[in-house]
Amino acid sequence: MAELNTGDGGGGKGGKVRSKKQNSKVDLTAMVDLAFLLITFFMLTTTLSKPQSMDLSLPDKDPIKDDVPVKVDENRTMTVMLGADNKMIYYMGLLASPIAGPKDITYGKDGIRRELLKRKKSVLEYSAALGKPKNGIIVIIKPTKKSNYRNLIDILDEMAITGVETYAIVPEFSPEETKLVDKTPTTPK
């Protein structure tokens, strides 16, 4: 049993004789029980932080539907290639006749995010000028085998931040794209 003593209760050396008082004792057992009950209650009722995940729509695995090629307007298409050592190259349109690029670019708000927002705005203006419905930008993400997982997650985060709704992860590279990514890495400052 836990207890708290508050003095010795008797008088010291002196002339007067005082009556002895009883030591006051406080039983702390109930307080310790209450503390453990509260700790247990809060441990059981607290929700732990849940892992954050990103929703990805994956294509069906129906081989019959895969034979149909999808035609995409090259004026709306931006290709982002992820290379080794955090290297990223982008171009708009087709590589043979690009609208913009190919250009090395960095991750983050002053790199790919700014370019995505700029290209997204220009695609919307292009669609409005042609009188077409507001079609947004289409981003094709091409990670190489030398790129790391973090780079892919970073570019997917940029898609969510900039509000790009249509994007695809494509592992195939044309020979021209392979040459472009395998060039000596020039890290942009």
Side-chain angles (χ1 to χ4, degrees):
M1 171 184 333
E3 61 183 49
L4 178 65
N5 294 328
T6 58
D8 57 3
K13 296 181 181 176
K16 287 189 178 177
V17 179
R18 295 186 181 172
S19 62
K20 282 194 170 188
K21 295 183 181 176
Q22 279 251 317
N23 289 340
S24 53
K25 294 182 181 181
V26 178
D27 187 15
L28 299 176
T29 305
M31 190 172 74
V32 171
D33 287 344
L34 180 64
F36 280 115
L37 283 173
L38 286 172
I39 290 171
T40 305
F41 172 77
F42 286 116
M43 282 176 52
L44 295 176
T45 57
T46 303
T47 58
L48 300 175
S49 63
K50 296 185 181 187
Q52 296 177 351
S53 62
M54 184 180 296
D55 292 332
L56 292 177
S57 299
L58 299 175
D60 294 334
K61 291 186 178 183
D62 190 6
I64 297 170
K65 292 182 182 177
D66 290 344
D67 293 340
V68 180
V70 178
K71 292 298 267 177
V72 178
D73 184 10
E74 62 268 2
N75 296 320
R76 295 175 44 208
T77 305
M78 179 180 193
T79 304
V80 178
M81 298 179 291
L82 309 176
D85 300 323
N86 298 330
K87 182 177 180 181
M88 181 172 28
I89 301 171
Y90 85 94
Y91 63 90
M92 280 294 289
L94 301 173
L95 187 57
S97 57
I99 297 169
K103 182 180 174 186
D104 285 2
I105 196 164
T106 60
Y107 291 91
K109 68 177 184 174
D110 293 328
I112 189 68
R113 186 177 310 163
R114 179 184 298 161
E115 199 62 35
L116 281 168
L117 290 170
K118 184 171 109 178
R119 297 297 171 189
K120 183 179 172 186
K121 183 179 177 185
S122 69
V123 165
L124 288 174
E125 290 170 355
Y126 170 77
S127 295
L130 292 177
K132 293 183 178 180
K134 290 190 176 184
N135 293 325
I137 190 171
I138 299 169
V139 179
I140 299 171
I141 303 166
K142 293 187 172 187
T144 63
K145 292 183 180 181
K146 296 177 183 177
S147 64
N148 59 30
Y149 183 71
R150 179 178 181 192
N151 294 109
L152 182 61
I153 296 302
D154 286 345
I155 195 69
L156 290 176
D157 285 341
E158 293 297 336
M159 297 297 119
I161 290 168
T162 57
V164 174
E165 296 176 357
T166 308
Y167 55 90
I169 301 171
V170 180
E172 293 94 22
F173 281 81
S174 68
E176 295 85 16
E177 289 174 332
T178 305
K179 288 177 189 174
L180 187 63
V181 172
D182 288 341
K183 278 185 185 177
T184 324
T186 55
T187 310
K189 301 288 183 215

